[in-house]
């Protein structure tokens, strides 16, 4: 049995199931709780974002994981154009999607292209075509469509950014409320904003001396790769009508091509809603103090929303329960000067992920804040968004999303069949319909395949119940069937290999890549975990899966360093292989130790990457990847350093979002990766007997935590 680690972790063994469960239970109970319970209210509130000026990178969000509303300094969405290149003012949901008319009658089959990866057959992949023509146009159409909708901007009417002074705004994460105070043209206004925990409904309590009107502005989508999804200059392409109008309430229907949805508005007072322009609805209050609610639905409602005060109270109850129930980490006893910032990132990340990434579909990389990749979600990123929910005691939020795989099963099976594989091949980039988005990279990725197995395993570990087994085992079986059929037999070398893929380190090419290290390790973990599920279900182990895992290729090395792939001997001489994601480190960190890797070579590889990687060409989740590997090889100081490395893509904005670049001002996989790394650094992993294994033992990191579960 392999033993990983240096002096710090030299006593860690990968133990039996019985010992694992004992150790996991002991650690999860809070072994580092030295002076009683953590003051959770103080922990959360001392990290509340506070805004005193218009900062387009500091917009604040309230939401319930399925629906979110992002506000500017007014507590509403008064200046969407001002924030368009910052963190935009989105109103987005799981269900709000739109497609431009398919005027050329493109068929998905036109996006397919044949590839020969040496398996004795042609395999059909949905790709982007370089050559001009109908296939390229069809692929571009299906890549853009459907796209996620901005459902409408609700804000003050007629104000300008220049008219505001005395701005004072706080996101109260403990209660899920934005409290905003400002003066508009010298007159004071106060706004409290919350989202209902169960409905796609935003509520605002307003005290405005100026009695400014409120406008609901409805945009047409842009269909662009990454933006706020708002075309404010296309009124002729969509229509808005008030289908129910009374004093204090209205129902608005918004129609865009074949898409339509409804906004139910309720407000206090006797005023009525009016169309101010083609796609703008305006309500003028008849008192300084008033309130308004806006509910967004696919179907028309009866015109009655829960009251604003009931919504704010329900949001408060929901968020207090969230913070009281789940895992938390308190860094206030640490003397290392970096600890305060690390705590801020952790608490804000917990809030942002629960707000943006806990829906009935997998989250997009910019959540429910603005569109990236046309609003679609990426299944290779679901682990980064949502593994942390199960580790922090919020497995119910992960359990909201995983059933989507049942809906996607038929399309995933079709992908596998057209390529000649068994089981289901989960698509990379998709939407609620689960149609595969054409991609010259994504269609060749495979590391999203074991994610379902890993996430279902985390759910079972959090709640070892037969209902969990019965619900997810059929999907795990089909996922493992694909993984087994995808592994090619190399008879000459008496082994199984992985080929015809673009690995997680996306700088490699599918036509020339064999045996990338992370994918090999993940195949081993995934198939072994699927066998555990068979045993739990009372089934015999699948002998083919055992044969594959026992004969999978070992990770390829050169000069005592692991390569980006067996076919990339030039890894450490060519910058193409030392940029983007250092996926090799996922082989030990994201994953537990496997017999495919040699501990000494992995240690050497970690050292080289830590010292020499092209860090200016990385993404937000690469820092947690590095930190998790550092923890497992016994380098806690380097784990902390990795999480706090001073790089652009490791920037965390005042609102907690992980900034990447001008295109991706939000990048929630970075936030989720941070939380998962912190879980490993505190609660450890199965068999780890070191308290807080990811923090240095120099006396400066007195980290307290509660309710966090160990990783596998």
């Amino acid at each position: 049995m392999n033993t990983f680690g240096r002096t710090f972790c030299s006593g860690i063994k990968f133990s039996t199931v019985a010992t694992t469960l004992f150790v996991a239970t002991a650690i999860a109970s809070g072994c580092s709780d030295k002076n009683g319970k953590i003051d959770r209210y103080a922990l959360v509130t001392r990290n509340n974002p506070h805004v005193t000026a218009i900062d387009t990178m500091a917009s604040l969000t309230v939401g319930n994981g399925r629906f979110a509303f992002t506000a500017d300094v007014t507590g509403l969405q008064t200046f969407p154009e001002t924030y368009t290149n910052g963190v935009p003012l989105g109103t987005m949901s799981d269900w709000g999607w739109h497609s431009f008319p398919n005027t050329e009658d493109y068929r998905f089959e036109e996006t397919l292209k044949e590839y020969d990866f040496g398996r004795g057959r042609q395999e059909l992949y949905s790709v982007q075509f370089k050559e001009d023509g109908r296939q390229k146009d069809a692929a571009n159409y299906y890549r853009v469509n459907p796209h996620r909708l901005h459902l409408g901007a609700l804000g003050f009417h007629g104000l300008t950014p220049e008219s505001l002074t005395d701005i004072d705004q706080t996101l109260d994460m403990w209660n899920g409320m934005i409290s905003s105070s400002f003066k508009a043209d010298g007159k004071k206004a106060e706004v409290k904003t919350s989202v209902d925990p169960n409905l796609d409904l935003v509520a605002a309590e307003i005290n405005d001396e100026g009695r400014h009107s409120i406008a609901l502005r409805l945009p047409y989508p842009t269909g662009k790769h990454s933006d706020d999804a708002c075309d404010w200059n296309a009124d002729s392409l969509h229509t808005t009508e008030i289908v129910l109008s009374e004093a204090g309430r209205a129902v608005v229907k918004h129609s865009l091509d074949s898409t339509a949805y409804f906004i139910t508005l309720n407000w206090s007072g006797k005023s009525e809603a009016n169309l101010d322009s083609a796609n703008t609805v305006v309500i003028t209050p008849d008192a300084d103090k008033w309130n308004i609610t806006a509910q967004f639905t696919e179907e028309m409602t009866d015109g009655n929303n829960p009251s604003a005060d009931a919504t704010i109270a329900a949001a408060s109850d929901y968020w207090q329960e969230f913070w009281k129930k789940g895992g938390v980490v308190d860094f206030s006893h640490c003397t290392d000067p970096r600890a305060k910032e690390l705590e801020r990132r952790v608490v804000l990340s917990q809030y942002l992920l629960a707000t943006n990434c806990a829906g009935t579909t997998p989250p997009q990389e910019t959540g429910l804040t603005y569109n990236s990749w046309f609003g679609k979600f990426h299944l290779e990123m679901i682990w980064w968004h949502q593994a942390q929910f199960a580790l922090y005691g919020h497995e119910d939020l992960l359990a909201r999303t995983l059933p989507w795989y049942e809906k996607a099963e038929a399309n995933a099976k079709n992908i596998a069949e057209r390529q000649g594989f068994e089981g289901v091949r989960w698509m990379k980039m998709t939407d609620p319909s689960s149609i595969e988005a054409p991609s010259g990279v994504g269609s060749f990725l495979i590391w999203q395949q074991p994610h379902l197995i890993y996430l279902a395993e985390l759910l079972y570990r959090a709640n070892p119940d037969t209902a969990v087994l019965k619900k997810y085992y059929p999907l795990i079986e089909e996922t493992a069937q694909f993984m087994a059929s995808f592994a090619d037999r190399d008879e000459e070398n008496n082994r199984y290999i992985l080929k015809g893929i673009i690995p997680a380190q996306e700088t490699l090419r599918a036509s020339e890549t064999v045996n990338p290290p992370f994918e090999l390790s993940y195949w081993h973990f995934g198939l072994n975990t699927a066998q555990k599920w068979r045993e739990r279900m009372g089934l015999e182990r699948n002998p083919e899966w055992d044969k594959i895992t026992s004969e999978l290729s070992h990770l390829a090395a050169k000069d005592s360093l692991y390569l980006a792939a067996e076919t990339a001997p030039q890894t450490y001489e060519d910058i193409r292989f030392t940029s983007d994601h250092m996926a090799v480190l996922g082989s030990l960190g994201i994953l537990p130790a496997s017999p495919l890797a040699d501990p000494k070579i992995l240690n050497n590889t970690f050292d080289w990457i830590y010292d020499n990687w092209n860090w200016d060409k990385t993404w937000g989740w690469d820092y947690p990847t590095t930190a998790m590997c550092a923890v497992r090889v016994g380098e806690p100081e380097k784990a902390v350093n990795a999480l706090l490395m001073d790089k652009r893509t490791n920037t965390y904005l005042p609102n907690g979002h992980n900034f990447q670049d001008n295109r991706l001002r939000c990048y929630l996989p970075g936030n989720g990766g941070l939380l998962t790394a912190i879980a490993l650094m505190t609660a450890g992993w199965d068999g780890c007997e070191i308290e807080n294994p990811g923090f240095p033992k120099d006396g400066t990191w007195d980290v307290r935590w509660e309710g966090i579960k160990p990783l596998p």
Side-chain angles (χ1 to χ4, degrees):
M1 185 176 292
N2 288 332
T3 302
F4 279 78
R6 310 179 188 191
T7 304
F8 175 73
C9 285
S10 60
I12 296 175
K13 302 284 186 181
F14 296 89
S15 56
T16 64
V17 172
T19 303
T20 292
L21 291 176
F22 174 80
V23 172
T25 301
I27 292 176
S29 66
C31 65
S32 57
D33 181 4
K34 298 177 181 178
N35 295 306
K37 292 288 186 180
I38 292 171
D39 185 341
R40 293 178 176 229
Y41 175 80
L43 168 65
V44 174
T45 56
R46 67 174 171 255
N47 289 289
N48 284 338
H50 184 212
V51 179
T52 57
I54 292 178
D55 179 352
T56 61
M57 291 294 187
S59 54
L60 303 174
T61 300
V62 283
N64 58 30
R66 298 172 295 258
F67 169 83
F69 180 92
T70 300
D72 58 30
V73 293
T74 67
L76 297 173
Q77 297 164 329
T78 305
F79 309 120
E81 292 92 341
T82 302
Y83 282 71
T84 187
N85 293 317
V87 179
L89 310 181
T91 303
M92 291 186 167
S93 71
D94 283 349
W95 54 263
W97 293 76
H98 166 267
S99 290
F100 296 124
N102 187 357
T103 57
E104 300 299 319
D105 195 26
Y106 295 121
R107 294 175 293 107
F108 181 79
E109 291 73 17
E110 295 177 279
T111 74
L112 301 179
K113 185 176 182 178
E114 291 184 340
Y115 288 82
D116 184 352
F117 290 120
R119 298 186 178 99
R121 63 179 184 270
Q122 296 294 317
E123 302 172 20
L124 288 170
Y125 290 79
S126 179
V127 301
Q128 295 168 276
F129 289 80
K130 296 180 180 179
E131 306 81 10
D132 289 339
R134 185 173 173 86
Q135 282 190 296
K136 181 178 181 179
D137 295 339
N140 288 340
Y141 178 83
Y142 280 99
R143 189 164 168 82
V144 173
N145 297 288
H147 41 264
R148 199 181 303 256
L149 281 171
H150 187 305
L151 298 174
L154 186 72
F156 288 102
H157 190 48
L159 295 186
T160 64
E162 295 76 21
S163 68
L164 267 58
T165 60
D166 299 88
I167 293 167
D168 191 349
Q169 183 180 56
T170 299
L171 171 59
D172 177 359
M173 293 186 288
W174 186 258
N175 292 295
M177 180 174 66
I178 302 170
S179 295
S180 310
S181 175
F182 57 94
K183 287 183 179 179
D185 297 321
K187 295 184 177 180
K188 187 173 183 178
E190 295 177 337
V191 181
K192 294 181 178 179
T193 315
S194 292
V195 159
D196 189 281
N198 299 306
L199 300 173
D200 295 352
L201 182 149
V202 59
E205 291 186 345
I206 302 169
N207 185 0
D208 176 18
E209 293 177 354
R211 296 192 184 181
H212 297 92
S213 299
I214 291 291
L216 173 66
R217 299 174 60 197
L218 298 168
Y220 191 72
T222 64
K224 292 183 179 179
H225 180 282
S226 301
D227 70 349
D228 61 2
C230 294
D231 185 345
W232 297 111
N233 300 302
D235 279 345
S236 63
L237 299 180
H238 59 127
T239 61
T240 299
E241 61 178 311
I242 301 174
V243 295
L244 184 154
S245 180
E246 297 177 358
R249 67 175 184 157
V251 177
V252 177
K253 181 179 181 181
H254 189 209
S255 301
L256 316 89
D257 306 308
S258 60
T259 299
Y261 62 93
F262 297 84
I263 307 99
T264 301
L265 300 166
N266 288 185
W267 60 94
S268 58
K270 298 180 180 180
S271 57
E272 294 187 2
N274 296 286
L275 276 173
D276 181 72
S277 60
N279 292 290
T280 300
V281 177
V282 173
I283 301 164
T284 301
D286 53 18
D288 291 3
K289 292 185 178 181
W290 68 298
N291 60 70
I292 185 169
T293 61
Q295 181 177 188
F296 298 80
T297 57
E298 294 180 88
E299 305 293 336
M300 185 170 174
T301 71
D302 63 3
N304 294 307
N305 290 338
S307 66
D309 57 350
T311 297
I312 290 171
S316 177
D317 290 344
Y318 175 84
W319 281 101
Q320 289 190 36
E321 176 67 14
F322 174 86
W323 292 114
K324 292 174 182 177
K325 170 191 172 186
V328 292
V329 190
D330 180 356
F331 291 86
S332 64
H333 301 275
C334 302
T335 57
D336 188 295
R338 299 170 295 173
K340 184 177 181 180
E341 170 61 13
L342 189 54
E343 180 184 274
R344 183 187 77 89
R345 295 184 182 193
V346 169
V347 174
L348 284 169
S349 293
Q350 288 181 274
Y351 177 82
L352 287 171
L353 289 157
T355 300
N356 284 275
C357 302
T360 55
T361 62
Q364 71 165 318
E365 298 190 18
T366 46
L368 298 169
T369 304
Y370 76 99
N371 275 359
S372 54
W373 287 273
F374 316 101
K376 298 178 190 281
F377 40 85
H378 296 165
L379 291 191
E380 90 280 17
M381 288 292 103
I382 187 172
W383 187 92
W384 294 95
H385 289 281
Q386 293 187 307
Q388 52 81 29
F389 284 139
L391 297 171
Y392 283 74
H394 299 295
E395 59 273 5
D396 57 316
L397 300 185
L398 174 57
R400 283 183 186 175
T401 306
L402 285 195
W404 176 85
Y405 280 89
E406 298 172 1
K407 300 177 182 178
E409 185 268 346
N411 281 342
K413 192 171 186 64
N414 288 337
I415 295 172
E417 287 178 348
R418 67 171 152 84
Q419 295 171 357
F421 301 112
E422 298 176 9
V424 292
R425 181 168 189 169
W426 301 113
M427 58 293 298
K428 185 269 195 205
M429 176 173 157
T430 186
D431 58 78
S433 74
S434 74
I435 294 175
E436 182 181 19
S439 174
V441 173
S443 295
F444 301 95
L445 297 180
I446 63 168
W447 66 292
Q448 70 270 26
Q449 304 307 320
H451 280 349
L452 173 66
I453 297 175
Y454 198 131
L455 293 173
E457 176 69 7
L458 292 182
L459 279 184
Y460 179 77
R461 288 159 64 100
N463 181 24
D465 186 88
T466 55
V468 176
L469 294 176
K470 290 179 179 179
K471 182 170 183 62
Y472 295 107
Y473 176 72
L475 294 174
I476 288 175
E477 171 76 18
E478 288 192 300
T479 301
Q481 286 174 355
F482 168 80
M483 294 172 64
S485 69
F486 190 86
D488 279 293
R489 181 69 184 168
D490 176 9
E491 295 292 352
E492 182 178 349
N493 295 295
N494 193 34
R495 62 176 184 162
Y496 285 89
I497 64 172
L498 301 179
K499 66 179 182 180
I501 52 178
I502 293 178
Q505 185 178 353
E506 294 182 5
T507 56
L508 283 70
R509 303 181 182 98
S511 60
E512 60 190 37
T513 298
V514 176
N515 285 340
F518 177 56
E519 283 74 6
L520 281 173
S521 303
Y522 213 174
W523 245 238
H524 190 276
F525 173 85
L527 287 173
N528 272 335
T529 304
Q531 293 282 42
K532 292 180 183 178
W533 277 66
R534 287 185 64 86
E535 292 174 330
R536 292 166 185 162
M537 292 291 293
L539 302 172
E540 294 183 358
R541 293 176 69 89
N542 185 312
E544 180 192 11
W545 301 354
D546 278 339
K547 179 176 174 61
I548 292 171
T549 54
S550 66
E551 297 179 6
L552 263 179
S553 302
H554 285 221
L555 310 193
K558 179 183 178 183
D559 299 329
S560 295
L561 297 173
Y562 280 126
L563 301 173
E566 183 177 306
T567 45
Q570 71 276 44
T571 291
Y572 297 97
E573 294 87 40
D574 186 340
I575 196 171
R576 176 161 70 97
F577 300 102
T578 56
S579 299
D580 203 68
H581 310 300
M582 61 293 295
V584 60
L585 297 188
S587 301
L588 182 67
I590 296 170
L591 301 175
S594 86
L596 305 183
D598 179 277
K600 292 182 180 179
I601 299 177
L602 260 178
N603 288 349
N604 293 341
T605 305
F606 170 81
D607 286 340
W608 193 97
I609 289 173
Y610 183 87
D611 293 335
N612 300 286
W613 196 258
N614 187 10
W615 289 103
D616 291 322
K617 296 292 184 181
T618 53
W619 293 65
W621 57 268
D622 292 320
Y623 306 97
T625 298
T626 304
M628 286 187 278
C629 188
V631 177
R632 298 228 202 202
V633 301
E635 292 281 5
E637 179 64 41
K638 291 181 178 179
V640 174
N641 291 346
L643 289 185
L644 293 167
M645 194 176 294
D646 185 14
K647 295 294 180 181
R648 170 176 50 80
T649 52
N650 199 34
T651 299
Y652 283 72
L653 299 173
N655 52 25
H657 276 297
N658 178 207
F659 176 88
Q660 300 298 285
D661 53 29
N662 290 333
R663 181 183 67 165
L664 291 172
R665 284 89 72 192
C666 300
Y667 190 64
L668 288 160
N671 297 90
L674 167 69
L675 293 182
T676 304
I678 292 294
L680 188 72
M681 294 166 73
T682 53
W685 57 93
D686 296 345
C688 174
E689 299 175 1
I690 304 296
E691 183 177 328
N692 283 345
F695 292 96
K697 299 298 184 281
D698 59 4
T700 65
W701 287 96
D702 181 4
V703 180
R704 317 284 176 90
W705 57 272
E706 297 169 354
I708 301 176
K709 299 176 179 66
L711 274 71

